[in-house]
Amino acid sequence: MMKGFIIGAIAVVFALLVGMFGITTPLIANALEVAQGASTAATATVQSTDGSAMVLGEATFTETPEGLKVDLALSDVPTGFHGFHVHQFGSCDEGGVAAGGHFNPDGVKHGYLLKDGYDAAHVGDLGNVVIYSNGSGTISVTLPDLPLTDGDRAIAGHAVILHADRDDFGQPTGNAGGRIGCGIIELAS
């Protein structure tokens, strides 16, 4: 009875936040999953690479029976499409450059992992996030067979990069421009 009350109260609070501040559905769904006992396996706090350490948002990575669910919620980001990728190294130093290139343990060409699969896309090719005029945007994707901790494709400990421009899925890395945000995928305690 008490658990149901708490979940209901959380839902009401999030509904008010949506109305007042435009917080979007994937963020709310993730919060409700956590309230109901689902555990987030990893998070990455995405910070600006301009040296200000301003937090732009958070990515969560949750293992589900369907695959690894990736939820990204951003704010205070320039309007438009921005490439979002898992990169090779777990460092945001040097304005995100220390993260290296896209995480590509299979040595394949660039693509969109959700559409193209592991034979035709880097493990790190997560596509684009659309940022609206209020500076916020979200993505929520579930990637079958993407591991968080086991095997050559495991992404825990790697960096996520938010790029300045749209990933056009061209070769070799999608022409997504500079690195405006970076975060390290850290396992939940």
Side-chain angles (χ1 to χ4, degrees), residues 148-167:
L148 194 57
T149 59
D150 297 324
D152 293 340
R153 294 179 178 153
I155 63 169
H158 292 269
V160 290
I161 295 289
L162 179 68
H163 288 274
D165 300 315
R166 174 193 295 256
D167 182 339

Side-chain angles (χ1 to χ4, degrees), residues 54-102:
M54 179 176 157
V55 173
L56 301 177
E58 184 170 85
T60 59
F61 303 84
T62 308
E63 292 178 327
T64 72
E66 294 80 29
L68 188 65
K69 184 176 182 211
V70 180
D71 290 302
L72 173 67
L74 297 168
S75 60
D76 297 317
V77 175
T79 302
F81 288 83
H82 297 272
F84 183 67
H85 307 113
V86 176
H87 279 246
Q88 186 175 5
F89 304 114
S91 175
C92 290
D93 292 342
E94 303 171 39
V97 173
H102 294 184

Side-chain angles (χ1 to χ4, degrees), residues 1-12:
M1 172 102 168
M2 185 64 162
K3 185 176 180 181
F5 173 77
I6 292 170
I7 292 170
I10 290 171
V12 169

Side-chain angles (χ1 to χ4, degrees), residues 14 18 22-32 69 71 73 138-140:
F14 279 111
V18 168
I23 296 175
T24 55
T25 306
L27 182 60
I28 293 168
N30 188 50
L32 287 173
K69 184 176 182 211
D71 290 302
T138 63
I139 57 173
S140 182

